[in-house]
Amino acid sequence: TVSPADPAIYSATVLSNTSIRVIWENIEQDNLTHYEVYRKDLLSPTYVYVGTFQKQGTLEFVDEGINTLENSYCYKVQAVCT
């Protein structure tokens, strides 16, 4: 199975002191089943899994319960195939 390229993140927008909206591109690949979203604090060396989203669903995620006043975050989205 050929792994798809990871989708580009179009935007990561701070919505409040405790939430960020992440929007990513759709990957067109027949065996793509879902996307996995990961977050890391800029001071952390590793990403943490934050959610799974089906291929046919909305290509955005609102990350809640974080602290945007004291921390900066990076996100990555991985496309997962069967």
Side-chain angles (χ1 to χ4, degrees), residues 38-49 74 76:
Y38 296 84
R39 171 190 70 228
K40 82 176 193 83
D41 182 301
L42 287 183
L43 299 177
S44 173
T46 58
Y47 282 88
V48 175
Y49 168 82
C74 290
K76 70 177 180 177

Side-chain angles (χ1 to χ4, degrees), residues 11-60:
S11 65
T13 306
V14 174
L15 300 177
S16 71
N17 295 344
T18 61
S19 65
I20 295 174
R21 175 186 290 129
V22 180
I23 300 174
W24 61 90
E25 75 173 322
N26 185 36
I27 300 293
E28 294 295 331
Q29 187 159 329
D30 291 338
N31 63 342
L32 177 67
T33 59
H34 64 277
Y35 299 97
E36 294 180 351
V37 178
Y38 296 84
R39 171 190 70 228
K40 82 176 193 83
D41 182 301
L42 287 183
L43 299 177
S44 173
T46 58
Y47 282 88
V48 175
Y49 168 82
V50 292
T52 295
F53 302 89
Q54 297 306 313
K55 176 183 175 185
Q56 305 304 329
T58 303
L59 301 175
E60 72 175 56

